[in-house]
Amino acid sequence: PARAGRSRWAAIGAAIAVSVGAGGALTTWAGTSGAQPTVFVPMTPCRLLDTRPAPDNVGGRDTALGPTEVFATAGRGTVGNCTIPAEATALSMNVAVINPSAASFLTVYPADADRPVSANLNWVSRQAPTPNAVTAGLSSDGRLALFNLAGTVDVAIDVVGYYAPAKQALT
């Protein structure tokens, strides 16, 4: 009986989630109590950055990130194979590390913020390409920062959606 009750509530919750999310936009509040509500806008995935040399290169860099390096890249406008609207405040991405030369981690964060003491991806030397879903805010001028702790590593970023102020995105 308890299992049937949980299944029924799970089905009801799923139906509500599908009904609410069916419009393609979800509103969320993040940050302080004064934060403006934002809307997630899904998009066809596009490659924002790939630091590998040609023919894989996309974006403004064709070399691996070095040890303790912070690299900032644009996250709005036409960047790589993406066109991200000027009102975007954060990006939802698939970030992959490729060809790591040492065990390390990568942190993705707004370029005008202090680097958080956390990692979005962790890996070991010579590991196969490793992706992870990452959502990160953009700096006030629309940039993302990438921090690599050790060794060298190539990074590929595919954007799957962005967040924008609800008022602007829904009008």
Side-chain angles (χ1 to χ4, degrees):
R3 181 177 291 172
R6 282 194 302 263
S7 296
R8 184 174 350 166
W9 284 111
I12 291 169
I16 291 169
V18 168
S19 298
V20 171
L26 300 175
T27 303
T28 182
W29 281 262
T32 64
S33 60
Q36 182 177 14
T38 59
V39 175
F40 176 71
V41 181
M43 59 189 279
T44 301
C46 59
R47 177 79 29 113
L48 184 86
L49 176 73
D50 190 331
T51 64
R52 293 177 291 178
D56 299 311
N57 179 254
V58 173
R61 181 181 176 131
D62 63 358
T63 58
L65 275 66
T68 68
E69 181 177 357
V70 175
F71 171 69
T73 184
R76 290 194 292 236
T78 301
V79 185
N81 297 326
C82 297
T83 301
I84 311 294
E87 64 269 10
T89 59
L91 298 178
S92 180
M93 304 163 279
N94 182 35
V95 178
V97 292
I98 307 160
N99 304 321
S101 68
S104 185
F105 67 85
L106 183 77
T107 302
V108 183
Y109 58 101
D112 60 357
D114 292 335
R115 179 172 50 91
V117 185
S118 62
N120 296 103
L121 289 104
N122 299 280
W123 62 86
V124 295
S125 178
R126 299 192 236 309
Q127 183 170 316
T130 305
N132 198 26
V134 175
T135 299
L138 296 170
S139 64
S140 58
D141 64 353
R143 294 179 305 129
L144 284 174
L146 310 172
F147 171 79
N148 171 45
L149 176 67
T152 60
V153 66
D154 284 301
V155 177
I157 299 175
D158 295 329
V159 176
V160 298
Y162 61 90
Y163 291 83
K167 186 175 182 179
Q168 291 175 335
L170 295 177
T171 56

